[in-house]
């Protein structure tokens, strides 16, 4: 399930696969504890129980952290939540900058469950038909990836000025 979860970028499937892996690992640790007792090591079962409890605690804390981050609409991350996934952000930025009327672009995305939403700030070369072009650009960008559900294209005069205004 793990390779499939990564290919589909499906965090629920990844969590299920990790839990399945944890299940067989804890079962193996329990079996080793029982075998240890059979060999005369009276402490083997306690050690196995300690290892199992630490693993369950680690998984629980990791899943709690991931769930809270998902509720906060964080920036896109890899399926295992280990690091930011800026690949789609860069693809959208490059695609928008490839439009003949866009001089520069900056893209900010956030995860909303399985889907991504965000804003794209574009510096237009010309203001002709700006509203129509911004709408077309948003539809074009959302077609780049199945996860990209909603993108608002905002024309700005300069990315630096807009960045300063948003940082206040």
């Amino acid at each position: 399930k793990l390779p499939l979860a990564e290919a589909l970028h499906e965090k629920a499937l990844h969590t299920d696969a990790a839990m399945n892996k944890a299940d067989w690992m804890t079962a193996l640790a329990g079996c080793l504890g029982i075998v240890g007792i059979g060999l005369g090591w009276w402490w083997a079962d306690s050690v196995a129980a300690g290892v199992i409890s630490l693993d369950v605690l680690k998984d629980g804390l990791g899943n709690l952290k991931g769930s809270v981050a998902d509720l906060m609409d964080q920036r896109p991350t890899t399926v295992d939540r280990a690091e930011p996934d800026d690949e789609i952000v860069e693809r959208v930025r490059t695609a928008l900058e490839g439009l003949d009327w866009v001089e520069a672009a900056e893209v900010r995305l956030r995860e909303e469950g399985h889907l991504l939403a965000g804003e794209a700030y574009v510096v237009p070369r010309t203001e002709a038909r700006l509203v129509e072009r911004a709408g077309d650009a948003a539809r074009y960008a959302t077609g780049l990836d199945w996860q990209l559900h909603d993108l608002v294209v905002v024309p700005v005069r300069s990315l630096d000025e807009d960045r300063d205004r948003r940082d206040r």
Side-chain angles (χ1 to χ4, degrees):
K1 288 184 181 180
L2 284 173
L4 183 60
E6 290 176 14
L8 295 174
H9 196 79
E10 178 64 43
K11 291 183 181 181
L13 183 61
H14 185 272
T15 301
D16 183 51
M19 293 304 294
N20 287 344
K21 181 179 175 183
D23 284 347
W24 71 259
M25 290 179 72
T26 55
L28 179 64
C31 289
L32 290 176
I34 292 170
V35 168
I37 288 175
L39 293 174
W41 300 329
W42 59 269
W43 45 265
D45 193 40
S46 298
V47 170
V51 168
I52 291 169
S53 65
L54 289 175
D55 186 55
V56 168
L57 185 62
K58 180 187 79 77
D59 283 346
L61 290 174
N63 288 332
L64 177 65
K65 179 184 171 190
S67 296
V68 170
D70 285 345
L71 288 173
M72 294 173 49
D73 293 341
Q74 69 176 354
R75 69 190 274 193
T77 59
T78 56
V79 73
D80 61 357
R81 296 182 174 99
E83 59 190 43
D85 185 7
D86 292 328
E87 176 188 337
I88 189 168
V89 173
E90 189 60 29
R91 274 194 334 194
V92 171
R93 186 190 63 76
T94 303
L96 290 174
E97 287 181 346
L99 298 174
D100 61 350
W101 64 274
V102 175
E103 185 176 322
E106 182 178 299
V107 177
R108 294 187 313 174
L109 297 178
R110 61 193 168 277
E111 286 186 321
E112 296 177 349
H114 299 287
L115 303 175
L116 302 174
E119 302 83 27
Y121 299 93
V122 297
V123 178
R125 295 183 199 279
T126 177
E127 293 185 15
R129 298 181 26 242
L130 195 54
V131 173
E132 179 184 326
R133 286 179 169 177
D136 290 345
R139 283 186 290 282
Y140 167 67
T142 55
L144 294 173
D145 193 285
W146 70 269
Q147 285 184 284
L148 192 52
H149 174 68
D150 187 28
L151 185 72
V152 177
V153 176
V154 182
V156 295
R157 298 210 184 278
S158 160
L159 291 179
D160 294 331
E161 289 175 15
D162 184 62
R163 208 174 286 128
D164 292 340
R165 187 178 74 244
R166 284 182 281 132
D167 289 341
R168 288 184 205 154

